[in-house]
Structure formats: structure tokens, C-alpha cells
Amino acid sequence: SCTACLTLGKDMTLRDYSQAAYRMRGIGKGQKIELFLTAEVESLVHKTLAPAEGITSQARKEQFDKMAEKERDQRTIVDVIGWLTVNGVTKDLKKQRLLCEQNLHNLWKRAAASSLES
């Protein structure tokens, strides 16, 4: 049986995470994935998810640290999935804003081209 080490980057999305995880073709058939979080990513997870719970990231971290190990492991999985989803949505919104800006910049070009054609 094999164990893969999956690390999270600060710009990672759920799609990136899923692609990395599914490279282990035998998950559930003897293969496992060990998730590693850097201190930076763990801090980002708490900072991103704390407002949804109506608390500060520091208070969230303190609550997390008080949990039993098994509960903390389960919570980490849920938190990571939530954080990766938020990252994906944020990334898509940035792309959409950029596309809208590009479309606005192209409006005058279309008008000028139409004027030249007529």
C-alpha cells in the first residue's frame, strides 16, 4: 500500500486538489493520502473561514487547537474543502472582472472599426 503526501499551496483550488488526489488510482483500495498544511496555509484557512462563523481567525485557531486529535483531523478535511472552494470562487470572480475590463477597453475599438468600415 502507498501513501501520497498532498501539500496545499496558498493559491490552490478544489480542482487542483482533486487532480492531485486522484493521481492515486487506488484510493480506498489500500492507498492513502496524507494532507500536509504549512503554517501559512493553516493561517489562511482560519482567516478565510472565520468570518463565516462570526469569529476572529485567532478565536477560530484557539477553538481548533482545543479539539481532540480525531476531531481536529476531521475538521481539517472539512475546512480545507471549504477553503479550496472559496479560493476557486475568488479566482473565478477575478477572471470575470478582468474579462469585463478587457471588454470595456475593446468597446471603443469596435466603434472605431465600425466607423472606418462605413
Side-chain angles (χ1 to χ4, degrees), residues 11-13 48 82-97:
D11 296 318
M12 201 170 199
T13 65
T48 301
W83 177 73
L84 289 167
T85 302
V86 169
N87 275 0
V89 169
T90 302
K91 196 174 194 178
D92 287 345
L93 286 172
K94 285 179 184 177
K95 283 184 204 173
Q96 182 186 15
R97 274 192 223 116

Side-chain angles (χ1 to χ4, degrees), residues 21-83:
Y22 284 115
R23 291 187 193 280
M24 292 292 284
R25 305 270 186 231
I27 297 172
K29 300 174 193 167
Q31 293 182 348
K32 297 183 277 184
I33 296 174
E34 189 75 30
L35 183 62
F36 284 91
L37 293 148
T38 63
E40 176 191 20
V41 170
E42 183 181 6
S43 175
L44 286 171
V45 169
H46 291 301
K47 183 179 176 182
T48 301
L49 299 178
E53 297 173 12
I55 58 176
T56 65
S57 58
Q58 183 62 36
R60 190 176 198 287
K61 171 84 170 111
E62 289 169 5
Q63 286 177 356
F64 184 80
D65 290 340
K66 291 178 185 175
M67 293 178 182
E69 185 178 355
K70 186 175 181 177
E71 185 181 3
R72 206 171 36 241
D73 289 346
Q74 291 171 344
R75 178 68 180 260
T76 298
I77 293 168
V78 172
D79 285 355
V80 164
I81 299 299
W83 177 73

